[in-house]
Amino acid sequence: MNVDADIATAAIFAFPAEKQIGLIRRTVDVLDSKNGERSFGEPYLRRTADTMARRMAAAGIDGNTIVREVAAFRKAVEDESIRRFLDKIGMRRAK
């Protein structure tokens, strides 16, 4: 009996970080609540990204994918922050 033939394999994919809209908006809410001082919110953003990375690593996601997903998450947070700012000053254009 070939034991290797009985072992099933599966690919693990990370849910795209830029699609985690609730987490992105919640992160921007926290950053915005820090009295406009982005540097006070940075530790929260770093902790959120670190937690995301640890969860992906525990799920078996490879390191390169984790780096890409965390970078995509941080970019999505920045994009949402900019979108909110442009909305606030009335400068955002409709798509």
Side-chain angles (χ1 to χ4, degrees):
M1 176 174 185
N2 185 351
V3 176
D4 291 335
D6 294 335
I7 297 174
T9 60
I12 299 172
F13 297 95
F15 185 79
E18 69 271 9
K19 302 295 184 192
Q20 296 186 36
I21 304 301
L23 180 59
I24 292 164
R25 289 180 178 162
R26 190 168 43 258
T27 302
V28 174
D29 288 343
V30 170
L31 295 174
D32 286 349
S33 73
K34 299 297 182 180
N35 298 323
E37 292 293 330
R38 189 66 182 243
S39 61
F40 291 117
E42 182 62 28
Y44 177 79
L45 177 57
R46 189 172 28 252
R47 280 192 313 273
T48 303
D50 288 348
T51 299
M52 179 185 293
R54 281 194 306 277
R55 287 180 180 161
M56 284 188 282
I61 305 294
D62 69 276
N64 289 332
T65 301
I66 292 171
V67 169
R68 278 194 311 273
E69 290 301 317
V70 169
F73 171 73
R74 292 180 75 97
K75 182 182 182 314
V77 167
E78 188 65 30
D79 290 348
E80 176 66 11
S81 184
I82 290 168
R83 185 194 64 77
R84 288 183 185 190
F85 174 74
L86 293 176
D87 280 351
K88 184 187 269 187
I89 64 172
M91 296 287 295
R92 190 166 78 115
R93 295 181 191 173
K95 288 185 177 182

